[in-house]
Every structure is written in structure tokens, then in C-alpha cells.
Amino acid sequence: RGFRWMKTMIHTIKEINERKDILPNSTLGYQIFDTCFSISKATESALVLLTGQEENRPNFLNSTGAYLAGIVGSGGSSLSVAVSRILGLYYLSQVGYASTCTVLSDKRQFPSYIRTIASDKFQSEAMVKLIQHFGWVWIGTIAADDDYGKYGVKIFKEKLESVNLCIAFSEILPKVYSKEKMQKVVDAVRTSTAKVIVLYTSDIDLSPFVLEMVYHNITDRTWIASEAWITSASIAKPEYFPYFGGSIGFAVPRSDIPGLKEFLYDIHPSRDPNDILTIEFWQTAFNCTWPNSSVPFCTGEEKLEDLKNTYLDVSQLRITNNVRQAVYAMAYAMDRLSRLWCPSILCRDKGARLMFFIQRVKFTTHDGRKIHVDRNGDVTGYYDLLNWQLDDNGDIAFVKVGEYIFTQSKFEFMIRKNSTIFWNTESSKIPHSVCTDLCPPGTRKGIRHGEPTCCFECIPCADGHVSRRAGQRECEQCGEDYWSNAEKSECVLKEVEFLAYDEALGFTLVILSIFGALVVLAVTVVYVIYRHTPLVNANGRELSFLIQVSLTITVLSSLLFIGKPYNWSCMACQVTLALGFSLCLACILGKTISLFLAYKISKSKTRLISIRPLYWKIIILISVLVEVGICTAYLVLEPPRVYKNMESQNIKIIFECNEGSVEFLCSMFGVDVFLALLCFLTTFVARQLPDNYYEGKCITFGMLVFFIVWISFVPAYLSTKGKFKVAVEIFAILASSYGLLGCLFAPKCFIILLRPKRNTDEIVGGRVPAIDKSVQLTSASVSSELNNTTVSAVVAD
């Protein structure tokens, strides 16, 4: 391949010399030195160019008097770096065609160097774009132990880490074969979980490593090739395809050079016995010696057409085309110099002035590509993305599957549509190269201390936090009305909780409330039908009806607690309950006061005390008015409101009533408690009053049930949450209402409906025949013989 590059330079120089539009009055010549891919040999060649064989001064003129305009080369980056450090001292122009090392762009170190091949900076960017495109995050790198490999991998690592991708391992291929060092590289490849590996090396340095891969039978790896070996015929051999097949990498653009193929064939060692390079090529190609040596001898009749040789392969003219462009860059710069500044070929300070034009050269190639050298001596353009595949003949083909365009205004990576990429994996699918698989939705990345960021733990998101996409670093907190689903992958609306009508508990409470109201209504019907009977008239018929109305209000007020709370329902439920109980307890207080007075009369032997209904009405009116006043102030000043309780249960929004002012609420129900205490105390004192149907005792038991229910309610209410808290309050309302209803009216209804003979004036009025000692006096009409004095307490209607 190197011999083809040399012949391309000669072909290009002859082409320029034949043109009349470039250097019409000058003829270009050349002198060729073989670097032997050695830094020491390249440095020696540079010194010979500068000083001559025996002289110690710059030799800008050769023996014929021709002026040394510049140098094309060297091939490898390390060679160009070594040579350019010397040539830069004299500001002697050097144009590279294959050296891509980024350090050569530093004009402080290499002021006279330009190149017609892109810097590795662009190649590294292209590799990172390729890796990102296929979703690889865990990459191994192997570099040659020279400037090309080390600087190339350095830039690649910087570009890779800037996009949060990771290096699994980074190894160096030894320049001089070392079994220990090579084994270290092989072990890194074999043991690493990285399935994608970048190889930044030349084909010459890569060859021993390829043999090691074959020897250790390491397959199932995808190699990202640098431009130095992606099209190398010495590596792209069918026997290596099981190990390196599917390699993918970037190459400089391919081109066809008119007339080059014929020029390459037009050589023979017999034409110039001093052309040692042609003789060496001939001996290598045909495996013979020229002219005299041990057998076999070269006959001179060998035919190049019979060879299958890299030299004659013009299907992949990539670096070869760069050689052509390097010669043209030098020629165009010299042409501009001779036309503008220095018509004389021997003008003073021509080297520095030539460098001025070379660093600003612009021209269009034979295939229409525009070449423009920037201030750093670099060119822009594009790369071909090549993939190693087997053709129909079993040979390795370099198939173009995409490209990377890099210009001053455009950077674009693209994969060709409908292009098929061969992957050297067991499944023949895109390789999977990660340290840790992406954390699924619902988890986040957790740091592994001491390891790259691509190696992490997958930690489940906390409650109320989600990660919607795979691989998120942080979980996102859900909004106020949202909560995480079971998988922690989506925020879903929180479940809204309240005691609804359509659920079993709510429906049961509704039935109990309606049933209680119907029972009260039935009692009222009985009282209306039997309103003129002594039992109904005894101790206040109007009070009984008011108690029935109030109990109806209390049992139906529980319906306001059921269903979704609204501001109006929150205000209505507690106020209705408080007013209903205050009316009920005020009426019971009227009854208990009558019993208490009857008891006092029986003790004081008073003949007759008449307790008029006006006093009971005043008691009831005052009690209810006080309760109404407190409720009104409560609703006006600090009314209850609907409250979304999110603290009790994170996964639910509990709709409940915020009771507003606790002081007003306590005052409101404090009135009821006070009335209940008065009722209990008065009936407890009068519990021993003779009573045919035990009304005093029934009220006492009713108030005991009332207190037991509400005392039990407090701890139960405080220990429950959500809708069950409301259910506990409704149970307390219904239980206390049913208790009062049963204790106050069940005995009377039993006598009215089932024992009508006892519902007479004699029994209710207190006059009982002497022979019937089992019948006692009523609390409505107390008649007892105490020292021959009759004491009666009559309730006047």
C-alpha cells in the first residue's frame, strides 16, 4: 500500500507538470525516502533532506540546483510528529496525507504542518455518535503504543465521558511484542462485560493482536475500527472474519483517480536498475530475487495482471486519494506564491511565504470535493461508515452503511436507509454492551462507590415518587392529588374516600336511618290515634310529640354525613344534629322536671301543686334559643368547610369536614351535654317514684344509654380514620336515638297496643282497688295515703 502511495505521488506530479494552469513556468521534481514505518528512520530521512549526506547546514537545494519546496508525508502520526518537530524549526512546509493525530493541529508545536486528512478529533466525535446511535454505554478501548493511539484514545475518552458514557477498560498494544503485555490485553477483552471495543491502531501494530484473538478463539465482540485499519487488506482476510467480522468504523472518502490504474501497471525493474523500491516491490510481489541471488530468480517476464495484490487494488482509493490532494495542495500554494509574491524560484524567505499560502489553500478536486485548510492546518469533509461483510466470493467487503459529515457549519451522523449491518454476535442482532442494564421504570439509578457511573444499582422509587422512563437518575414526586401506582412508573389520581351511599356500609346506615325515622313515625301514628287515652295524655302529650319530632330529626340528620361532603352539607350536618338533640333533651328535661316535682310533692306531703305547660315551653324555648344562637355564630364566624385530608393515608384523599372552630363546636354540643346531665340527675332522684309503667326508670335508662353511647364514641372516633370515622359518628347518633326511642316510648306503646286494659283513668290516675296490690300509682297522678293525707300532682292540659 505504501508503494502505491508513492506511485500516486509521482503520477500526480507528472499530471501537474503537464498542466498549463498550475506552475506554467516551473517543473516539479521529487526525492523519495523510505521511513520503514520507523520513527528513527523517518527522523534520519528528514535530517538528510535538510543537511545533505555530509553537510551541517540546511540543504534547500539538491545537487541539480532544484529548490526544496516542501515535504509530503510521513504516513503514520508518530512519524509525522517526529519529522515535523525538525522541519518546523526551518518553517519548511510539510503536508500530511495519513497522519490524524490531534496534537499535529497545535501550531505552536508544529507551525509548518498541514494535512489533507481529518483530525482524530472529528473521528472521535463520529465514534461517539455511532455508539450513541446504537445505545452502547460500556466501551473498551485498545490503542497502539504511539502518538496516534494514545492521543486518539485520549480524545475519544473525553468525548465519550462528556455524554455520560463509560470506559470499561483501556489497554495499550505494545510496539515490540511482549507476551506478558499482550496477554494483559487479551485478558481484558475476554473478562470484560463490554462487547463493543474501540481499536485505535494501525494495521501493522494490530496484526499480532489479531493472531492472539484467533489463538484464544475470542468471538462475539464488535470492533469499532479507526481509519488506519478499517480498509486494511492485511487485516481484512476471510480467515479472520469469525473474529473480526462485522467490524464497523469510519474511513476517509473513497475516490477514483483517472489514469492511476494504468500508471500502477506500467512498472518494471529493468527500466531503472537504481530504482530500489520497484525492485523490492517486484521481489516481494513475485517471491523472487533480482537480479542475482539464490534461486528462484526473477525472470522479468512476471505479469502484474496475475497478482491479487493490495498495490493493484484501486477499488478502495482513500488514503491514496489523500496523497494526490497533498501534492495538489503544495502545487496550488506554490502557484499562488509565484504569481503574487515571488516570481523568482530562488527568492528570499520563500519557505515562510509558501507556508502562508499552504495554510490558506483552497481548491476543488477532480471529483468535485472542495478542499479548504483552516488555521490549524486541518480539513473538513465527511467519513464513510464501513461495515465488514462477506461477499459472494467469500472475501471481506467494505460495505458503506452510513456517513458522518463535518463541516464548519454542519455536523451530522446518518445511517443509510435500507442498509444491512452485519453484527458478529450469537443472535446476529445489535450487540448489547452495558455494565448494568437500564433501570426499568419505577426504579432509579443508585451509585456504586468506586465504579464508573454506568455501573449502578436499581433502587425502587419511594412511595409517591415515580420514574416514567427507563434509566432515570432521580424519581419524580407526584403532584398533590396524585400517587404512584404499584409499579412506581406512573402517577395516578389518588383514590378519593368518603362514606358513599352505594357501598355496603353507607347503604346499611341509610337503611338504619330511614328505618329509625319510620319507627318514630309509627310511634307518632300510635300516639295520634290514641291521643285521648289517659296514657298518652299523662305527663305531657305535647312533649311526647316534640320528642318524636326531634328524634326524627336526629336519625335523619345522619343522612347528611353520608355521601361526598360539600360546604353546605358540612355546615348542615353538625348544626342539624345539635339542634335535634337539644330539642329532644329539652323536652325530656320538661318531663323529668315534672317527675322531680312529683317526687318532691310526695315527700313534702303537699296536697296539690299544678305545673302549667307554659313553664315547660319556656324551658324548651330557652334551651333551643341558646343552641340556635351558638349555631348561628358558628356558621357566621367560622363555619365548617370541606377538607381534603392527605396526611392520614398517602394513597388516598379523604374528603371530610373541617369542623372549623373547636370552641364553637364544643359549646354547641356542650349545651346538649348540659341538658342531658340535668335530665339524668332529675330522673335519677325521682327513680323511686311509684309508677305503673316505670316512666322515671325508663328515662333514667334512656339517659344512661345516651351517655354510654357517646362516652364510648369519643375513643372510637379518635382511633379511626377516613370514612370509618364518619361511620362511627353515625352509629353513635343512631344508637343514642334508638336508645332514647326504645326507652321512652316502647313501654307506653306496649301498654297502648298490647295491654289496653291498663290504659284507664283508674290505673293511670292512681286509684287502684284494694285487692289489686300489683298495680302501682303513676307518676302523672300520685295518690298515696300518708297520715290520711292525699297528695296529688296533676298535669293540667
Side-chain angles (χ1 to χ4, degrees):
R1 188 167 65 160
F3 188 61
R4 185 178 67 207
W5 294 347
M6 182 201 75
K7 297 298 289 184
T8 301
M9 185 194 74
I10 297 173
H11 174 263
T12 305
I13 289 176
K14 289 185 176 181
E15 181 180 294
I16 292 171
N17 287 335
E18 292 172 359
R19 293 179 61 168
K20 302 301 182 183
D21 56 331
I22 304 176
L23 297 172
N25 300 321
S26 301
T27 301
L28 297 179
Y30 56 88
Q31 190 172 0
I32 297 170
F33 291 85
D34 189 358
T35 64
C36 301
F37 204 70
S38 165
I39 295 177
S40 59
K41 192 69 176 177
T43 305
E44 178 186 339
S45 300
L47 292 173
V48 169
L49 280 171
L50 289 172
T51 65
Q53 295 293 337
E54 303 294 339
E55 301 176 13
N56 294 321
R57 59 184 176 80
N59 182 38
F60 294 125
L61 297 175
N62 67 4
S63 56
T64 63
Y67 175 75
L68 179 59
I71 295 174
V72 175
S74 299
S77 292
S78 295
L79 308 182
S80 293
V81 167
V83 171
S84 186
R85 291 190 187 278
I86 298 172
L87 299 180
L89 297 174
Y90 301 97
Y91 218 65
L92 185 60
S93 300
Q94 180 184 359
V95 183
Y97 54 85
S99 302
T100 59
C101 183
T102 54
V103 73
L104 289 167
S105 299
D106 186 354
K107 294 301 108 180
R108 290 176 296 179
Q109 297 187 61
F110 309 100
S112 62
Y113 185 85
I114 72 162
R115 51 189 164 191
T116 58
I117 188 171
S119 166
D120 281 335
K121 177 183 71 173
F122 300 111
Q123 183 172 206
S124 296
E125 289 177 353
M127 286 180 173
V128 172
K129 291 289 185 182
L130 173 69
I131 290 168
Q132 286 181 297
H133 177 81
F134 290 111
W136 302 322
V137 297
W138 191 232
I139 312 298
T141 64
I142 300 175
D145 191 13
D146 56 19
D147 292 325
Y148 172 70
K150 291 179 178 178
Y151 279 104
V153 165
K154 176 178 178 293
I155 296 297
F156 172 75
K157 286 181 179 179
E158 292 174 356
K159 300 289 185 183
L160 196 72
E161 291 171 357
S162 68
V163 292
N164 298 320
L165 303 180
C166 301
I167 299 294
F169 63 88
S170 186
E171 298 295 335
I172 300 294
L173 290 177
K175 272 287 185 182
V176 179
Y177 183 82
S178 167
K179 185 175 181 180
E180 181 181 352
K181 293 181 179 179
M182 189 63 75
Q183 188 62 42
K184 182 174 180 290
V185 180
V186 172
D187 290 342
V189 174
R190 181 169 49 198
T191 59
S192 176
T193 56
K195 300 298 182 182
V196 178
I197 303 169
V198 172
L199 276 171
Y200 244 115
T201 177
S202 65
D203 52 354
I204 296 175
D205 293 328
L206 183 60
S207 295
F209 177 74
V210 171
L211 296 177
E212 291 290 338
M213 291 292 101
V214 175
Y215 177 77
H216 290 89
N217 193 29
I218 297 177
T219 58
D220 195 28
R221 300 294 189 278
T222 296
W223 306 94
I224 298 180
S226 64
E227 37 60 54
W229 69 272
I230 184 63
T231 57
S232 172
S234 62
I235 304 298
K237 296 179 179 179
E239 57 266 30
Y240 298 154
F241 191 80
Y243 312 94
F244 286 84
S247 294
I248 191 167
F250 295 93
V252 297
R254 177 190 168 279
S255 181
D256 294 319
I257 301 177
L260 179 62
K261 182 176 182 179
E262 293 76 12
F263 185 78
L264 295 178
Y265 275 93
D266 188 21
I267 61 169
H268 201 277
S270 61
R271 295 179 185 174
D272 185 358
N274 296 322
D275 187 355
I276 59 174
L277 293 178
T278 300
I279 293 173
E280 183 180 351
F281 164 74
W282 200 271
Q283 292 178 144
T284 303
F286 293 104
N287 195 24
C288 61
T289 57
W290 183 279
N292 294 315
S293 184
S294 59
V295 291
F297 297 108
C298 297
T299 63
E301 296 180 359
E302 294 85 3
K303 295 183 178 180
L304 293 174
E305 290 82 357
D306 298 333
L307 291 176
K308 188 177 182 181
N309 190 283
T310 305
Y311 168 75
L312 299 172
D313 183 8
V314 294
S315 63
Q316 297 291 331
L317 298 181
R318 298 178 186 275
I319 302 297
T320 303
N321 189 49
N322 282 354
V323 174
R324 174 185 174 86
Q325 293 171 5
V327 176
Y328 262 104
M330 186 77 73
Y332 276 113
M334 292 173 61
D335 183 66
R336 292 281 292 172
L337 175 64
S338 63
R339 293 177 186 274
L340 297 179
W341 279 2
C342 193
S344 172
I345 196 67
L346 297 176
C347 67
R348 184 180 180 183
D349 196 22
K350 187 171 183 178
R353 295 188 178 186
L354 177 61
M355 196 62 226
F356 175 83
F357 284 102
I358 288 180
Q359 290 179 338
R360 292 160 177 79
V361 69
K362 294 181 181 180
F363 64 95
T364 302
T365 64
H366 66 283
D367 54 1
R369 181 186 172 194
K370 295 184 181 297
I371 302 297
H372 169 62
V373 180
D374 63 18
R375 60 187 300 177
N376 295 320
D378 294 326
V379 294
T380 56
Y382 67 94
Y383 286 115
D384 287 339
L385 179 62
L386 304 182
N387 178 232
W388 283 17
Q389 302 181 17
L390 284 179
D391 60 17
D392 296 335
N393 298 323
D395 297 326
I396 294 180
F398 309 125
V399 179
K400 182 176 179 180
V401 295
E403 62 184 15
Y404 179 69
I405 300 172
F406 52 98
T407 63
Q408 292 179 343
S409 60
K410 182 180 182 182
F411 294 88
E412 182 180 4
F413 172 81
M414 62 181 69
I415 297 291
R416 281 184 169 181
K417 292 182 179 179
N418 303 322
S419 61
T420 301
I421 301 177
F422 174 78
W423 301 109
N424 192 22
T425 59
E426 293 180 358
S427 61
S428 297
K429 296 181 179 179
I430 298 175
H432 187 61
S433 186
V434 296
C435 178
T436 306
D437 285 323
L438 279 179
C439 292
T443 61
R444 65 175 179 85
K445 292 181 180 179
I447 298 173
R448 287 185 186 173
H449 293 288
E451 296 189 32
T453 56
C454 297
C455 304
F456 45 80
E457 303 287 348
C458 292
I459 302 174
C461 293
D463 291 338
H465 293 72
V466 298
S467 61
R468 295 179 175 86
R469 301 179 304 278
Q472 283 191 213
R473 291 187 177 275
E474 298 293 338
C475 297
E476 303 168 3
Q477 186 173 2
C478 294
E480 186 181 52
D481 294 338
Y482 292 84
W483 193 250
S484 54
N485 59 4
E487 294 78 20
K488 309 292 179 64
S489 59
E490 289 292 338
C491 288
V492 295
L493 280 171
K494 289 182 179 180
E495 179 184 347
V496 177
E497 181 179 286
F498 55 86
L499 187 60
Y501 289 100
D502 55 356
E503 59 179 298
L505 181 59
F507 183 74
T508 302
L509 295 175
V510 169
I511 295 299
L512 290 175
S513 300
I514 295 175
F515 178 74
L518 292 176
V519 171
V520 176
L521 181 62
V523 171
T524 304
V525 170
V526 170
Y527 265 60
V528 170
I529 294 173
Y530 296 94
R531 62 186 178 277
H532 299 298
T533 62
L535 193 59
V536 174
N537 289 327
N539 204 9
R541 181 176 58 190
E542 293 176 353
L543 289 177
S544 298
F545 283 125
L546 285 175
I547 292 173
Q548 292 162 13
V549 171
S550 63
L551 288 176
T552 304
I553 294 173
T554 55
V555 294
L556 291 180
S557 69
S558 61
L559 296 177
L560 296 173
F561 290 85
I562 304 174
K564 185 177 180 180
Y566 295 96
N567 288 333
W568 66 266
S569 63
C570 288
M571 290 187 287
C573 61
Q574 299 291 1
V575 171
T576 304
L577 177 63
L579 289 174
F581 272 129
S582 66
L583 177 61
C584 177
L585 294 170
C587 294
I588 294 174
L589 182 61
K591 279 181 173 288
T592 58
I593 289 177
S594 69
L595 292 175
F596 179 74
L597 292 177
Y599 176 76
K600 287 295 184 181
I601 292 169
S602 66
K603 290 294 184 180
S604 62
K605 302 180 183 180
T606 304
R607 289 192 175 275
L608 182 65
I609 296 177
S610 178
I611 304 174
R612 298 181 179 279
L614 178 62
Y615 303 138
W616 303 336
K617 293 177 182 178
I618 291 174
I619 293 172
I620 295 172
L621 183 61
I622 292 174
S623 301
V624 173
L625 285 178
V626 170
E627 189 71 66
V628 169
I630 296 174
C631 292
T632 303
Y634 177 44
L635 296 178
V636 172
L637 297 178
E638 200 167 349
R641 290 285 185 268
V642 175
Y643 170 61
K644 294 195 294 185
N645 185 350
M646 301 182 185
E647 291 78 25
S648 298
Q649 298 186 48
N650 291 327
I651 61 174
K652 293 180 179 179
I653 299 176
I654 302 174
F655 275 91
E656 58 187 21
C657 292
N658 182 357
E659 306 303 347
S661 173
V662 178
E663 293 79 6
F664 274 118
L665 192 67
C666 292
S667 301
M668 191 168 61
F669 286 102
V671 173
D672 295 338
V673 173
F674 177 71
L675 293 174
L677 283 173
L678 288 179
C679 293
F680 178 74
L681 291 175
T682 53
T683 52
F684 182 78
V685 171
R687 70 188 184 282
Q688 295 179 349
L689 185 69
D691 194 341
N692 286 342
Y693 51 89
Y694 308 103
E695 184 171 22
K697 293 180 180 179
C698 289
I699 294 176
T700 303
F701 282 120
M703 298 316 300
L704 283 174
V705 170
F706 184 86
F707 278 116
I708 290 172
V709 168
W710 286 104
I711 290 173
S712 302
F713 158 78
V714 174
Y717 184 80
L718 295 177
S719 62
T720 54
K721 297 178 180 179
K723 61 183 180 181
F724 299 104
K725 198 172 188 178
V726 178
V728 167
E729 187 172 359
I730 296 175
F731 273 122
I733 296 170
L734 294 178
S736 58
S737 300
Y738 274 109
L740 291 174
L741 178 64
C743 290
L744 295 179
F745 296 104
K748 291 185 179 181
C749 289
F750 176 78
I751 293 174
I752 292 171
L753 298 176
L754 301 179
R755 296 289 186 272
K757 291 183 179 181
R758 298 179 60 181
N759 189 7
T760 62
D761 290 331
E762 292 76 11
I763 296 177
V764 175
R767 291 176 173 78
V768 185
I771 59 172
D772 192 358
K773 302 295 183 180
S774 62
V775 180
Q776 298 179 351
L777 300 176
T778 68
S779 58
S781 179
V782 178
S783 178
S784 60
E785 296 293 335
L786 296 175
N787 298 323
N788 298 319
T789 303
T790 301
V791 180
S792 297
V794 182
V795 177
D797 288 335

